[in-house]
Structure formats: C-alpha cells, structure tokens
Amino acid sequence: MELDDIISASLVVDLETKRDSIYRIGALLGSEQFERKGRFAVAQALAELDRLAQSCRFLLGHNLLGFDLPLLRRLFPDLNLLKKPVIDTLYLSPLAFPQNPYHRLVKDYKLVRDSLNDPVADARLALTLFRDQWRSFAHLAATDRIQI
C-alpha cells in the first residue's frame, strides 16, 4: 500500500478525557470531520463514530494503544472500531527518528498553556506526524540506513 491509500483507509481518532470520562471526540476520515464537544451523550457519539469507522480499514492516532483504546475497551467494549488494526504514531516515532525520537505531538495551535486540547487538531497533527514517519521510513530504506 502507498501512503495515500493508507491515509484514505484510516479513521484518525483523538479523545480528550478527564479520569474515566470523555469530554471531547475528534476524528477524520478522508474529507469527513467528526467532532463532539460541549454537552453531548458520549454513548450516542461513540455509536456515531463506530458507524463512521465501518468504512475504514485502520485506526490511526497518537498514543491510541496506550490510552484511548484501553479507555474505550473499558467503558464501551462492544464498539466495532476496537477490532480495527491500529497505526499508533507514538510507537512509530522512535523507529522513524532513531537519532531524535519525539513522542509528543507538537501542538502549535495552543497559544495558551491552559487552553483545552482540540481533538480534531490533534488528529490532523497525528496525520502530519504519520506522513513524516512514512517519509523517514522511505528515506531509511532508500539509503539502507535502517538501524536495529
């Protein structure tokens, strides 16, 4: 698969949580944007996200494996999107950038430290990071400089 094929087949997801409650949801699938914030029924919003995920092949995001998906499995274990293969940019970073692995998303949109995270913006940042990782892997493969 090529990069554009993977991206077009991926639902890029980010959750904003506090303790065990989800207060913002952001996702991208192609040109479609999914966002829930403010007062919303979490179970209903996740059912809508689950329907959107039916057409995707992958879930893509930053720290999905370590945070978002375990929370969803605990709170909403029947979601079908939990059965999708996952591309987690947090885990790919040290492989793509062995000399300088960065683990956090650089959130340029946050001008004030205490401002709320924006899950749609974070999904876009995860997608940008994945593109950078893909290019790094392609460069490492082309130069035969893959380090193990």
Side-chain angles (χ1 to χ4, degrees):
M1 287 184 98
E2 296 295 321
L3 175 61
D4 289 337
D5 297 328
I6 293 172
I7 289 172
S8 66
S10 296
L11 177 68
V12 188
V13 179
D14 186 62
L15 304 178
E16 298 304 328
T17 67
K18 189 171 189 177
R19 294 183 194 95
D20 269 355
S21 66
I22 299 168
Y23 65 90
R24 291 183 89 173
I25 303 169
L28 303 167
L29 181 61
S31 62
E32 192 166 348
Q33 178 177 303
F34 179 92
E35 182 175 24
R36 296 296 179 272
K37 60 185 178 180
R39 297 178 80 101
F40 65 93
V42 174
Q44 179 182 340
L46 289 172
E48 293 169 23
L49 184 65
D50 207 31
R51 282 191 293 280
L52 180 62
Q54 287 176 344
S55 64
C56 79
R57 188 165 170 195
F58 308 103
L59 293 182
L60 191 150
H62 193 76
N63 201 15
L64 289 178
L65 293 171
F67 189 76
D68 297 287
L69 296 181
L71 178 66
L72 288 177
R73 279 189 187 92
R74 230 178 17 259
L75 299 178
F76 300 94
D78 295 331
L79 292 171
N80 288 317
L81 64 84
L82 295 171
K83 299 172 186 169
K84 303 281 183 174
V86 176
I87 301 169
D88 194 321
T89 58
L90 177 67
Y91 290 84
L92 294 175
S93 282
L95 300 171
F97 312 111
Q99 296 341 66
N100 186 22
Y102 56 94
H103 299 287
R104 295 180 333 126
L105 288 179
V106 179
K107 299 180 181 188
D108 293 334
Y109 67 86
K110 286 182 72 169
L111 299 177
V112 178
R113 176 176 287 184
D114 293 334
S115 65
L116 290 175
N117 286 329
D118 179 341
V120 172
D122 288 354
R124 290 188 204 291
L125 289 171
L127 199 51
T128 298
L129 177 55
F130 181 64
R131 287 179 189 278
D132 291 345
Q133 291 167 338
W134 185 276
R135 283 191 288 275
S136 176
F137 289 136
H139 175 74
L140 290 171
T143 59
D144 197 28
R145 294 188 53 208
I146 297 175
Q147 296 179 359
I148 299 176

